[in-house]
Amino acid sequence: MMKLGGGNVSSKLWPKSSKDRLARMGGRYAVGYNDLWNFGAPKYAGDPSGYVSWLPKDECDNKRKPIRGPFSAFVKRTVKGSTLGWEYCGEYELTDDLPGVIAAHCVTHASKTAILNDILKSLSKPNGEWNESIRWWKTELKNLCTSDKRPAGPTRLKRLAVALGFKEWSNVDPDPMDTGKERQDREEKEIREKASSAAKARALGLDDEELSNICIAKRLVYFDDFYGSYSIKFVRYDEDMYNFCKEGETTKNKSNRKRHPQEPCAKADDWYAIFDQMMAENDRSTKRKRKRSRGNG
C-alpha cells in the first residue's frame, strides 16, 4: 500500500509527460483510480476484470483513442471517507475500445455525493478543470436535444427531478401513495420503461440552456450518459513495478490512523481485512433490517 498523490478528478496519469514515461519503467503508463469515481475499478490486486471511466490516450492516434497495451493500475483505498493508501493492482489492458454506460440509479449515493463535491470544488476555482468539462457538456447536451426531439422520460426520472427540485412535471407525483403489490408492480413497470438519452436529459431539465454550471453538475450525477466506462482485464502482476514504487509509503497505519515515524505503514492485507469487516457488518445490518421487516409484517 503506497501513496500515489491524488486530486479532485476521477483519475490521474503518471508520469504526466512522455519524456518522463520513457525514463521510468520502460515508458509505460500508470493510472491512479479514485474508488468513488471509478467504483468498478479492481477490488484487489489481480482482480480479473473491472471497468473505469478513463484510460490513457494513444498519443500517435489523431482521434486520441485509448491505448491498447497494458498499463499499471493503482486504486485508492478508503475507509469511511479517509484514504488508507493507493494499491498497485497489476497490469491491465483495454477489453473493448467502445465505452459503455452505467445506469445512474446503480451508482451509490456515496459515490454521487463524492463526485458532485469534487466537481463543485473544481468549479469554485477559476482554472478548475471542470469549468471546461461543463462547457463541453453544455455543447453535448444542446446537440443531443436538438437532434432528438423525443419527449422527456422515463417516468421514474421525472419523479426524481420533481423530488429533487430540478423541474416541475404536471401530473407527476414524486412519491405516489400506493403500497404493497400495487407499488411493486408500478415500480417494476417504470424500471422497464425505455427512453433515449435526449429524453432523459429533458426529464432532468438539462435541456435548459440558461442553467448555471453548478445546476448542470447537480443534474449530471443522475444522468446515465455521464457514467461512461471502459472494460479492462488483468494481464499480469509486475513485481518490478511494485518494487519501483513501494517506497512511497502511505501516511496511515493498519488501523487507518496517522502513523508515527517508526511505525509500519498500512499494507494491502490491512485493507482487505478492513474491507472484509465492513462487508460482514453490512451483512449483519441487512439481516437485522429483514428481521424487523418480517416482525412488522
Side-chain angles (χ1 to χ4, degrees):
M1 188 74 69
M2 67 285 297
K3 189 176 183 181
L4 190 70
N8 65 346
V9 293
S10 58
S11 52
K12 285 289 186 181
L13 178 63
W14 175 91
K16 290 186 176 181
S17 73
S18 300
K19 181 178 180 181
D20 287 340
R21 283 195 296 276
L22 291 172
R24 297 170 181 266
M25 300 303 297
R28 80 179 65 173
Y29 288 92
V31 181
Y33 290 110
N34 183 321
D35 58 341
L36 287 172
W37 276 84
N38 291 272
F39 29 83
K43 296 293 186 291
Y44 54 86
D47 194 350
S49 62
Y51 51 93
V52 294
S53 64
W54 187 88
L55 285 174
K57 301 298 186 291
D58 187 344
E59 296 177 357
C60 298
D61 187 332
N62 291 333
K63 294 184 178 180
R64 302 285 287 166
K65 290 183 178 180
I67 60 169
R68 301 294 308 190
F71 64 94
S72 302
F74 293 78
V75 182
K76 183 180 182 181
R77 303 304 188 196
T78 57
V79 181
K80 296 180 179 179
S82 176
T83 302
L84 186 67
W86 296 74
E87 181 185 10
Y88 170 58
C89 291
E91 304 299 301
Y92 284 78
E93 67 180 9
L94 179 65
T95 301
D96 187 345
D97 62 3
L98 294 175
V101 175
I102 301 165
H105 70 268
C106 294
V107 179
T108 66
H109 176 72
S111 286
K112 284 190 178 83
T113 300
I115 290 169
L116 180 58
N117 287 342
D118 282 349
I119 294 175
L120 296 180
K121 189 182 297 182
S122 178
L123 290 175
S124 68
K125 302 173 183 177
N127 297 321
E129 295 179 37
W130 272 94
N131 288 291
E132 178 60 34
S133 297
I134 292 294
R135 281 194 288 273
W136 181 89
W137 271 107
K138 282 183 176 180
T139 301
E140 190 74 5
L141 289 163
K142 181 178 180 180
N143 294 337
L144 182 68
C145 292
T146 299
S147 62
D148 184 343
K149 299 296 186 181
R150 278 173 279 192
T155 304
R156 60 176 177 79
L157 202 57
K158 293 170 75 173
R159 292 192 198 283
L160 177 67
V162 174
L164 295 174
F166 291 162
K167 189 162 184 174
E168 288 296 327
W169 291 104
S170 60
N171 301 322
V172 172
D173 186 346
D175 188 19
M177 299 302 291
D178 50 0
T179 58
K181 190 176 187 304
E182 183 183 358
R183 185 181 185 91
Q184 184 179 349
D185 290 345
R186 175 185 58 77
E187 289 178 344
E188 288 179 357
K189 181 181 178 181
E190 290 181 358
I191 287 174
R192 292 194 298 270
E193 189 179 342
K194 303 296 184 183
S196 67
S197 294
K200 293 174 183 177
R202 289 191 177 93
L204 291 168
L206 283 165
D207 57 330
D208 183 352
E209 296 182 25
E210 300 301 318
L211 286 177
S212 68
N213 288 356
I214 291 175
C215 287
I216 290 175
K218 289 179 177 179
R219 288 162 168 75
L220 277 177
V221 295
Y222 296 97
F223 186 48
D224 288 353
D225 288 30
F226 179 68
Y227 297 101
S229 66
Y230 292 97
S231 178
I232 58 174
K233 65 179 180 180
F234 178 74
V235 179
R236 65 181 184 278
Y237 192 87
D238 192 326
E239 294 291 343
D240 287 340
M241 171 56 81
Y242 176 75
N243 291 330
F244 175 72
C245 59
K246 69 179 182 181
E247 292 182 6
E249 296 182 335
T250 177
T251 58
K252 301 294 182 62
N253 63 17
K254 65 179 183 179
S255 301
N256 195 34
R257 295 187 177 89
K258 187 171 182 178
R259 67 186 179 91
H260 302 298
Q262 304 305 318
E263 187 179 14
C265 76
K267 303 294 184 184
D269 285 346
D270 300 319
W271 156 250
Y272 298 146
I274 292 172
F275 183 75
D276 287 343
Q277 183 180 353
M278 288 191 298
M279 291 299 291
E281 288 176 354
N282 286 339
D283 287 343
R284 287 194 292 270
S285 176
T286 301
K287 288 178 181 178
R288 286 196 296 270
K289 288 179 181 177
R290 287 175 180 169
K291 188 174 181 180
R292 286 198 298 269
S293 178
R294 293 194 196 100
N296 293 331

